[in-house]
Amino acid sequence: MRRSSTETKAAILKAARERFAADGYDRATIRAIAADAAIDPSMVMRYYGSKQLLFAAAADIDLRLPDLSAVPRDEIGRVLAAHLVERWEGDALQILLRTAVTDPDIAERMRTVFAAQLGPRVAELTGDPAEAPARAGLAATQALGFALCRYVLRLPPVVALEREEAIAWLAPTFQHYLTAPRPALTEHLAGPG
């Protein structure tokens, strides 16, 4: 069976996403990806040039964040939680997360994805661009921490959560980070003056 170049590239990308998700970047090999795609390894190199470039294509991430400014204010946390839980179910984000733990270049890519995509949405929502990076960063701690525990470390109680249950747990924290007034530092927290 002959495939078109478009079909071949799609088969390679699908196999790469699955293999990187299962094995991580370091253990995934071009040979294994080629075998999964039922092609010769030279075809992987022909279309993608290198393992790193193939990984970049497989982990091309768009969080596809919803327009939070169009969401009723008291539902923002739930909407964001539901969206992110759904997005984590795809291979691409899991690949990026699993690899970011050990690869500084991929960790930088993950930081860039969240800063470039979540930061502006939070700035629109809060109307305060100076405060948006901290709020977006705190929201990212929840999103990434949940995903790390559920999909990489596979902590049994987190894996066992049903989708709606996970959303219910995450939503109040997202809501707080994105809509609560900025906390005032007390004298105790501010340290000696």
Side-chain angles (χ1 to χ4, degrees):
M1 175 180 113
R2 290 186 50 90
R3 294 186 230 175
S4 70
S5 62
T6 303
E7 292 170 331
T8 301
K9 282 182 80 169
I12 293 168
L13 214 47
K14 180 181 183 303
R17 285 187 176 120
E18 291 169 359
R19 182 61 62 175
F20 286 132
D23 296 347
Y25 180 81
D26 290 334
R27 291 186 325 189
T29 66
I30 294 295
R31 285 190 186 281
I33 291 166
D36 294 346
I39 61 167
D40 187 87
S42 66
M43 294 299 287
V44 176
M45 299 308 283
R46 175 180 170 204
Y47 284 108
Y48 290 96
S50 69
K51 181 177 168 181
Q52 186 173 16
L53 291 173
L54 175 58
F55 180 82
D60 187 19
I61 304 303
D62 180 356
L63 295 174
R64 292 183 279 201
L65 293 168
D67 180 2
L68 297 173
S69 66
V71 173
R73 191 153 183 86
D74 64 341
E75 289 290 311
I76 289 170
R78 187 192 60 73
V79 169
L80 183 59
H83 179 78
L84 290 174
V85 167
E86 182 179 320
R87 293 293 294 134
W88 280 118
E89 295 297 323
D91 286 339
L93 283 171
Q94 290 181 36
I95 293 166
L96 202 58
L97 180 65
R98 184 172 279 115
T99 307
V101 173
T102 58
D103 186 306
D105 292 333
I106 303 305
E108 178 58 29
R109 184 171 174 84
M110 181 72 88
R111 285 190 292 274
T112 301
V113 164
F114 273 83
Q117 295 180 37
L118 185 58
R121 292 296 172 107
V122 174
E124 290 170 7
L125 184 67
T126 64
D128 184 352
E131 200 172 276
R135 288 180 182 271
L138 289 166
T141 66
Q142 294 304 295
L144 296 170
F146 169 78
L148 179 68
C149 290
R150 186 170 174 109
Y151 302 109
V152 177
L153 301 176
R154 302 212 34 90
L155 290 176
V158 180
V159 172
L161 291 172
E162 295 293 329
R163 181 180 185 279
E164 290 304 317
E165 194 177 9
I167 292 166
W169 278 103
L170 293 168
T173 304
F174 285 134
Q175 185 73 30
H176 177 76
Y177 286 152
L178 299 179
T179 65
R182 183 182 181 101
L185 294 177
T186 65
E187 203 170 293
H188 171 73
L189 291 175

